[in-house]
Amino acid sequence: MIMDLETVKDRAGPRQFGPGDDMPEEYRKAATRMIQFHANSEVMGGYLDKEFTRKAPSLDRKLANTAKVQDEIGHAQLLYRAAETLGVKTRDEMLDELANGEGKFLNCFHYPVDTWYEAPMIDFFVDGGAMRRQATLKSTSWTPYAHAMDKVCFEEGFHVKHGESILRELMQGSKATQERTQETFEVWWPRIIQFFGPPNDESHHNDFAQDVGLKTATNDELRQSFLNMYIPKAEKYGLEIPDTPRIEYDEESGRYELAYDELDWDEFWTISKNEYPGSKEQIGSRRRRQEAVEWVRDALDSWESEATGVATGEAAD
Amino acid sequence: MIWEVFRQEEPGDYHRHVGNVHAPDREMAKQFAQIQHARRMQTNSLWVVPQSEIGEVDAEDAAFGGTTDKSYRWAMTYNDIDASFAEEVADSEAEQREAARKRREAMEEADD
Ligand SMILES: [Fe+2]
Ligand SMILES: [Fe+2]
């Protein structure tokens, strides 16, 4: 019998539900939306990061970067599997949606990168922010999602430390290098703050996802804890926090008060619809790469159907 | 026919391999698994899988994790960076350190 929503809300807690439970459609859809978004972001983050392998100044950095990209694509695979367990969409459907521009993903991966100075913006700040969020998702109510987070979090420590190591190296470089890093940071800082989404009251899906235990922390809580940890880090290496948006630490509440209206929310909402010029560029370049290796997927599919005698249907893209 | 048995202790846990049973079909395998593997041990769920359906690759067939130096993909390598500022980064590093330790021990044993 399908569990009714009230029961779901009552029982909601860490790793409470799994494929053996008959979850109501609202839950399955909300969980699919969330995990698909997460999986898409791993793909698009991986594709973005891939650019840094070419830009990296040393062999060690190139090797570490390829290892990181490989991890990210692996995270995507784990997450598409976790999303499939909800029975709403297949992996092929989700990959198709990503290619045709319907699939949504994190704001920071809609901005094409072209310098090595951007590496720590992604690898330290964005991975660091993502890891804050992912650590809380170890307690999500959908068990296959939580299990994926166990492995993702195991791996991510390397990404964040490597990212910080790049930042440290740049900020110990020549004056010109430090200035370029600071300039790049100024471009990325507002995007990094927006990574955690709009202020709580403007987020559409937050409440339901929290009521049923899919999410265990609000955007605001995550952003606050992120700022608490990463502002001191930025300052430690000599980065200056930009004046816009205004940001003030309130000793009493222990909170960073942000002037949200100074952030470009038009751009944010354009991005969230995949309509930003960078969105089109990133989605398009990933789609073309995906098409270029279609023959590999075709070969695998025909091998599988020969082996099992069952047609596998359409290839991923 | 032999069925491998996986037991999950509590909701949300992983199913872990605990042994196997002889049984003529899936239904009987589930019954025997309950009796053999879930009578005293805390159990929330059991899986039974035909042994013949399991594929294996072991340390004799493969060099798991490669044979060249891949230290660049471990958090510990960046030891001039202090992970303690963020609990999740420190946890991840601790898990990686533990995994690397076990791996090293196994390799040393194999060398003896
Ligand atoms: Fe990742
Ligand atoms: Fe990462």
Side-chain angles (χ1 to χ4, degrees):
Chain A
M1 210 185 80
I2 295 175
M3 209 184 291
D4 65 79
L5 261 188
E6 284 316 302
T7 314
V8 175
K9 289 179 187 172
D10 276 356
R11 281 187 44 193
R15 308 183 185 216
Q16 279 304 302
F17 310 120
D21 296 304
D22 244 333
M23 304 307 288
E25 202 184 354
E26 294 94 323
Y27 180 95
R28 288 187 292 112
K29 282 194 167 155
T32 303
R33 182 168 52 229
M34 194 170 154
I35 305 172
Q36 182 181 2
F37 182 93
H38 195 162
N40 290 345
S41 301
E42 299 282 357
V43 173
M44 299 309 290
Y47 269 79
L48 193 90
D49 243 316
K50 180 166 81 58
E51 297 303 312
F52 295 132
T53 302
R54 226 169 287 154
K55 320 260 181 233
S58 69
L59 189 55
D60 283 346
R61 294 289 186 212
K62 286 181 199 292
L63 286 168
N65 201 71
T66 53
K68 175 186 192 286
V69 171
Q70 196 178 22
D71 284 350
E72 304 299 10
I73 301 303
H75 298 168
Q77 301 288 4
L78 289 175
L79 285 161
Y80 284 123
R81 280 294 309 125
E84 270 188 330
T85 59
L86 289 146
V88 176
K89 290 179 191 173
T90 64
R91 177 169 169 277
D92 285 354
E93 282 168 343
M94 292 183 274
L95 288 169
D96 279 345
E97 286 181 7
L98 186 59
N100 70 24
E102 269 175 79
K104 304 292 163 56
F105 55 96
L106 279 167
N107 71 317
C108 287
F109 304 143
H110 292 248
Y111 300 97
V113 294
D114 57 14
T115 73
W116 176 245
Y117 303 96
E118 290 175 290
M121 308 307 151
I122 304 286
D123 298 355
F124 182 49
F125 292 106
V126 178
D127 271 66
M131 212 182 163
R132 279 267 81 196
R133 178 184 274 150
Q134 285 165 339
T136 70
L137 290 172
K138 279 185 168 190
S139 315
T140 180
S141 58
W142 187 246
T143 303
Y145 193 17
H147 285 180
M149 286 304 102
D150 287 340
K151 182 165 188 291
V152 166
C153 290
F154 168 78
E155 295 178 351
E156 282 288 335
F158 146 54
H159 302 179
V160 178
K161 285 191 77 186
H162 180 242
E164 184 175 339
S165 165
I166 299 169
L167 178 62
R168 181 173 185 263
E169 191 171 76
L170 289 172
M171 292 308 283
Q172 287 175 347
S174 68
K175 189 98 200 308
T177 299
Q178 292 177 30
E179 281 169 11
R180 284 291 299 275
T181 310
Q182 174 68 31
E183 280 164 26
T184 310
F185 181 61
E186 283 167 22
V187 173
W188 277 89
W189 181 241
R191 304 169 180 173
I192 291 164
I193 295 177
Q194 287 180 315
F195 170 92
F196 293 97
N200 276 349
D201 44 332
E202 280 179 48
S203 169
H204 304 313
H205 308 306
N206 228 0
D207 289 350
F208 181 80
Q210 273 196 305
D211 289 347
V212 297
L214 283 167
K215 266 191 186 180
T216 59
T218 66
N219 290 345
D220 188 59
E221 285 162 353
L222 290 170
R223 181 167 19 232
Q224 286 296 330
S225 66
F226 173 81
L227 294 173
N228 262 302
M229 290 173 183
Y230 286 81
I231 286 182
K233 279 285 182 179
E235 287 172 339
K236 175 180 169 189
Y237 295 113
L239 288 173
E240 272 173 50
I241 306 300
D243 294 335
T244 319
R246 264 177 301 120
I247 179 164
E248 266 160 37
Y249 187 68
D250 181 348
E251 294 276 346
E252 217 157 282
S253 60
R255 284 176 54 87
Y256 282 96
E257 296 307 334
L258 265 164
Y260 282 108
D261 52 345
E262 292 178 4
L263 290 162
D264 189 343
W265 293 104
D266 282 343
E267 184 173 290
F268 180 85
W269 292 115
T270 308
I271 278 179
S272 75
K273 291 187 221 111
N274 289 346
E275 280 166 11
Y276 189 70
S279 322
K280 303 216 157 85
E281 191 176 331
Q282 293 305 97
I283 293 167
S285 68
R286 184 238 154 216
R287 184 184 53 238
R288 288 188 294 279
R289 302 252 163 67
Q290 180 84 348
E291 281 163 4
V293 289
E294 180 152 14
W295 63 275
V296 178
R297 290 188 301 279
D298 287 348
L300 290 173
D301 282 344
S302 62
W303 178 255
E304 182 180 356
S305 54
E306 255 172 54
T308 59
V310 181
T312 50
E314 300 236 323
D317 282 302
Chain B
M1 190 171 174
I2 295 170
W3 299 74
E4 297 298 334
V5 180
F6 298 79
R7 190 181 74 239
Q8 179 196 50
E9 288 194 4
E10 288 181 27
D13 284 353
Y14 290 83
H15 283 75
R16 294 189 195 281
H17 185 239
V18 286
N20 49 36
V21 292
H22 256 283
D25 66 15
R26 190 184 301 271
E27 283 314 305
M28 299 280 274
K30 287 198 270 189
Q31 288 232 7
F32 294 168
Q34 283 180 56
I35 292 161
Q36 277 200 30
H37 295 286
R39 206 148 52 150
R40 292 187 189 81
M41 302 302 277
Q42 157 69 20
T43 302
N44 179 65
S45 148
L46 287 174
W47 288 344
V48 294
V49 183
Q51 191 179 55
S52 58
E53 291 298 320
I54 290 177
E56 182 181 6
V57 50
D58 67 16
E60 259 174 41
D61 310 321
F64 296 117
T67 51
T68 54
D69 178 9
K70 292 193 169 55
S71 51
Y72 54 82
R73 68 181 176 197
W74 294 90
M76 299 80 77
T77 301
Y78 307 94
N79 57 11
D80 51 349
I81 298 296
D82 175 18
S84 64
F85 76 104
E87 197 188 348
E88 63 278 10
V89 180
D91 287 350
S92 168
E93 182 172 11
E95 286 173 26
Q96 291 190 19
R97 178 168 285 122
E98 176 63 11
R101 188 187 60 76
K102 281 193 185 153
R103 208 173 160 248
R104 203 168 41 240
E105 274 177 16
M107 274 158 67
E108 280 163 9
E109 246 168 61
D111 282 346
D112 298 340

